[in-house]
Amino acid sequence: FYSKQVFSVMPEDLINYASGDFVKTRGVVTVVPGVFSDRYFYIEGVQIYSHKKFFPKLSEGDMVSVLGELSKTKAGVRIKTNNLKDVLVLSHSDIVAEKLNVEDIDETYLGKVVRLTGDIIELKKNRFTIDDGSGEITVYIKYI
């Protein structure tokens, strides 16, 4: 696993590397394991995946260092980890959500914490739609 070259990369630059590259990055946990799946969590828009669910205890706001193999999915980039030691908690701070307009949201915000203000124009069991005057967005809810 570690016999290949490891690239130290900022999360926003991972898109410039190839699937199969081994990378080391660091970022703030925005979605903990168990929210969407027990097999992954997010740091700053990057999915961190472990088939065996090898993660330390994590909280939103934890600064972590991650080592693993880069892969690309329809939803963006993913780092596949192999061992519990591949994810290290470095520190913790509170997350401050970025305030956005709906028109500003694109796939670069996947896995990030954002704040929207608007009118709820549709409400369903597992989703709702917000209109903030700049556009509409549907938010899906995962019940835990």
Side-chain angles (χ1 to χ4, degrees), residues 11-113:
E12 61 271 17
D13 295 328
L14 287 166
I15 193 71
N16 300 320
Y17 288 78
S19 290
D21 283 346
F22 286 89
V23 295
K24 184 174 184 177
T25 194
R26 65 171 46 192
V28 176
V29 175
T30 55
V31 179
V32 297
V35 172
F36 297 128
S37 169
D38 290 340
R39 295 184 193 272
Y40 61 83
F41 68 97
Y42 281 90
I43 61 167
E44 302 183 28
V46 177
Q47 186 183 96
I48 310 302
Y49 176 85
S50 171
H51 179 73
K52 296 180 182 177
K53 306 176 196 173
F54 287 151
F55 301 121
K57 181 169 175 33
L58 297 170
S59 300
E60 290 177 358
D62 284 346
M63 172 64 78
V64 296
S65 172
V66 178
L67 176 66
E69 182 180 354
L70 185 69
S71 67
K72 296 185 179 177
T73 68
K74 293 177 188 175
V77 294
R78 165 191 280 182
I79 297 174
K80 296 185 286 185
T81 61
N82 203 27
N83 300 303
L84 188 58
K85 295 183 285 184
D86 292 341
V87 178
L88 302 174
V89 178
L90 305 173
S91 64
H92 179 84
S93 62
D94 292 331
I95 293 178
V96 177
E98 183 177 353
K99 184 169 177 21
L100 297 173
N101 293 319
V102 169
E103 68 184 357
D104 299 325
I105 295 176
D106 60 23
E107 57 277 348
T108 62
Y109 289 96
L110 178 69
K112 295 185 180 183
V113 179

